[in-house]
Amino acid sequence: MIDVIRAGLLSSVQDLGRYGFRHLGVAQVGALDPLSLEVGNRLVGNRPEAAGIEITFGPTVLRFLRATRIAITGTEFGATLDDKPVYSWWSLPVQAGQQLTLNAAKRGMRGYVCVAGGVDVLPMLGSRSTDLGAGFGGLGGRALRDGDRLPIGVPLPRAGSRGFSPDAPEFGVKAPAWCKFILVDEPVRRGRHATGIAWAPPIRVLRGPEYDLFTDAAHEAFWSDEWLVTPNSNRMGYRLAGTPLERKQKSDLLSHGVLPGTIQVPPNGQPIILMSDAQTTGGYPKIGAVIRADLWKLAQIRLNGAVRFIPTTEREAHNALVEERKYLRQIDVAITMHDERCAREMAPAAV
Amino acid sequence: MSPSKSLTSSPPRIYTLGDSALVCELPPPATLACQQRVWTTAQAARDWPHVLEVVPGMNNLTLVIDPFAADREALAERLRTAWEAAGAAPTEGRDIEIPVCYGGQYGPDLKAVAAHTGLAANEVIQRHAQGEYIVFFLGFQPGFAYMGGLETALHTPRRSEPRVEVPAGSVGIGGAQTGIYPAVSPGGWQLIGRTDVPLFDPTRTPPTLLQPGDRVHFTIAESHA
């Protein structure tokens, strides 16, 4: 069991999402930064699809009722376990009664707390993720509140091995943000933007089916503007603000499927990037689509922050996923080595 | 809305949406015959490898695919073949009555629809309630049914700025379509009324009240023209 002492801005139970019911209008939901959740689950010996707690910005306080193993991934929170500082991307033992405090996110926007065995709420339509829009899944179909108590599942045999036991030492892995694979091939920008805010991170985008319906001026603005992520953005979509994107002619499209990453432009010309909780179909023209490998980066952009779009190809989009898999394999190797080291240290005592 | 010969010969446009979806699309107008073909093709595509979701739209079909493992070209070819092989399946829909409180606080855009269509608000209500609507597909949010059959006189474009919060049960018009929002959500349709009939329950099998092919009839529970 985990006691939610303080839920914070927006915390919810999320796994890798709900699939197979999209034709009934059921959204994908799931972690906005699935790469962080996958790494977090690996750090505590879970299957990649186990559910964790998604924390938006913080501050959040959790208490563990049993000795177990946890990991924080995603952004850095300046977290403490009782009074001891703990870092993201580390696998930590916790003792019964210890309290984890995640202060405000230092850079990004979202983090994940994973626990050995996973958050074991009742799966609904094949997933433990909270659907905040439709109000089901997760804990009561809603965001976590102060005083909630979350059930923890039985750890896998792997999670019960020496390396993941509550008394095995802590160990950490490299965060994806520090890895070369997330870099984009373009000239490096140094210093700060004239407005004083950091440079907007580049997000790779493929042209959408209605790209050609927009004017040349719209194309120019789309690729060169720094787009403000307005405070009106949420898990359903990021509403951007910048140069209005005009179409050559106005016409309503017939409703069609949309998915996380789709960039649609309503008649006011201000684009919306659809996120995990987005609706399954829409009617606005789609100027582009964020590639799968860059979706998690969006999850870490703050409200009132900015993004830039850079054009990419299907081949680059696929290569980016290959790089992401390589990164996850490196994590697996690091974890296996940790586990074997722990087993060796135990071996002499057993002889 | 009977099947036309030109429909069977018009080839679909098949294209990608980002790196994670394939779309098969027929040009307007939307017809029931075309939609029945969409349903048949969707049924076939559900079992294909690396296809995660099959989402019918209005006159179109979107396959959500595994962007790492899927062979887009092979799937596109398979989609083309399946579309050509699909005949219009007969519809065995049910008749479902949905009571609606029209206008006033329940339909904040009723006046806008009246202004756009040139009809009196009361006439918009009468005409909307007289129609028979066929569920073409579900989408947007759990249990939201897109329905065909809205008479031309009532067609009204979506709002230029979508609402951040539309109340659950709201009945709206978006272009040539009409539908009901099952839960609170953002939305761009013109709202003309509201119902309290539940449209989605994740513990029920199937979880949605309406299915493709159903015939929906709205009744006037209250009228605030």
Side-chain angles (χ1 to χ4, degrees), chain A residues 38-122:
Chain A
E38 278 204 54
V39 175
N41 275 326
R42 281 165 156 84
L43 286 172
V44 296
N46 287 347
R47 281 187 227 282
E49 66 271 21
I53 307 170
E54 180 178 275
I55 288 155
T56 312
F57 201 74
T60 298
V61 182
L62 305 170
R63 187 191 292 134
F64 299 89
L65 302 189
R66 250 186 19 211
T68 183
R69 198 137 185 122
I70 61 158
I72 310 168
T73 53
T75 190
E76 200 66 57
F77 285 98
T80 54
L81 186 61
D82 288 343
D83 294 326
K84 196 183 125 210
V86 292
Y87 300 100
S88 293
W89 308 95
W90 281 73
S91 171
L92 316 165
V94 297
Q95 306 309 321
Q98 280 196 303
Q99 195 159 300
L100 180 71
T101 303
L102 299 113
N103 298 305
K106 285 182 169 171
R107 280 179 296 275
M109 185 71 181
R110 292 180 175 85
Y112 298 84
V113 173
C114 292
V115 56
V119 176
D120 194 23
V121 291
L122 206 64

Side-chain angles (χ1 to χ4, degrees), chain A residues 254-335:
Chain A
L254 292 176
S255 291
H256 48 258
V258 291
L259 59 158
T262 300
I263 306 172
Q264 58 180 25
V265 183
N268 68 4
Q270 302 292 290
I272 301 170
I273 312 175
L274 300 182
M275 303 294 282
S276 298
D277 288 9
Q279 66 268 25
T280 59
T281 60
Y284 297 128
K286 305 167 290 298
I287 194 170
V290 176
I291 64 171
R292 175 70 65 89
D294 280 1
L295 280 179
W296 66 268
K297 299 177 189 172
L298 287 173
Q300 297 300 352
I301 293 168
R302 290 186 175 190
L303 302 183
N304 288 318
V307 289
R308 285 182 296 127
F309 299 127
I310 61 171
T312 191
T313 61
E314 283 196 0
R315 174 184 291 269
E316 253 185 24
H318 189 263
N319 286 346
L321 288 172
V322 172
E323 292 299 319
E324 189 179 292
R325 299 231 163 175
K326 276 189 199 159
Y327 164 71
L328 286 173
R329 275 205 300 276
Q330 286 169 11
I331 302 281
D332 285 335
V333 168
I335 290 171

Side-chain angles (χ1 to χ4, degrees), chain A residues 43 69 90-91 158 161-165 167-173 330-349:
Chain A
L43 286 172
R69 198 137 185 122
W90 281 73
S91 171
R158 168 109 203 243
S161 77
R162 181 74 182 85
F164 292 107
S165 67
D167 40 75
E170 30 187 275
F171 67 97
V173 295
Q330 286 169 11
I331 302 281
D332 285 335
V333 168
I335 290 171
T336 304
M337 285 172 68
H338 160 81
D339 206 13
E340 288 174 1
R341 193 161 52 240
C342 291
R344 271 200 306 279
E345 280 161 12
M346 249 187 101

Side-chain angles (χ1 to χ4, degrees), chain A residues 171-250:
Chain A
F171 67 97
V173 295
K174 196 153 92 171
W178 298 349
C179 296
K180 226 186 340 186
F181 81 86
I182 76 140
L183 296 181
V184 164
D185 188 21
E186 62 160 8
V188 177
R189 293 181 175 200
R190 296 195 187 281
R192 293 179 92 75
H193 193 262
T195 57
I197 57 161
W199 290 112
I203 299 293
R204 288 169 289 190
V205 166
L206 289 164
R207 287 182 180 189
E210 284 79 51
Y211 181 85
D212 291 334
L213 297 186
F214 289 86
T215 62
D216 292 347
H219 292 155
E220 168 69 21
F222 182 72
W223 299 116
S224 60
D225 268 23
E226 299 212 341
W227 291 94
L228 177 78
V229 177
T230 68
N232 215 357
S233 303
N234 54 30
R235 284 184 48 94
M236 295 187 77
Y238 279 16
R239 287 163 180 262
L240 309 180
T243 309
L245 302 176
E246 303 283 349
R247 275 186 280 163
K248 289 171 194 160
Q249 59 187 52
K250 303 257 177 200

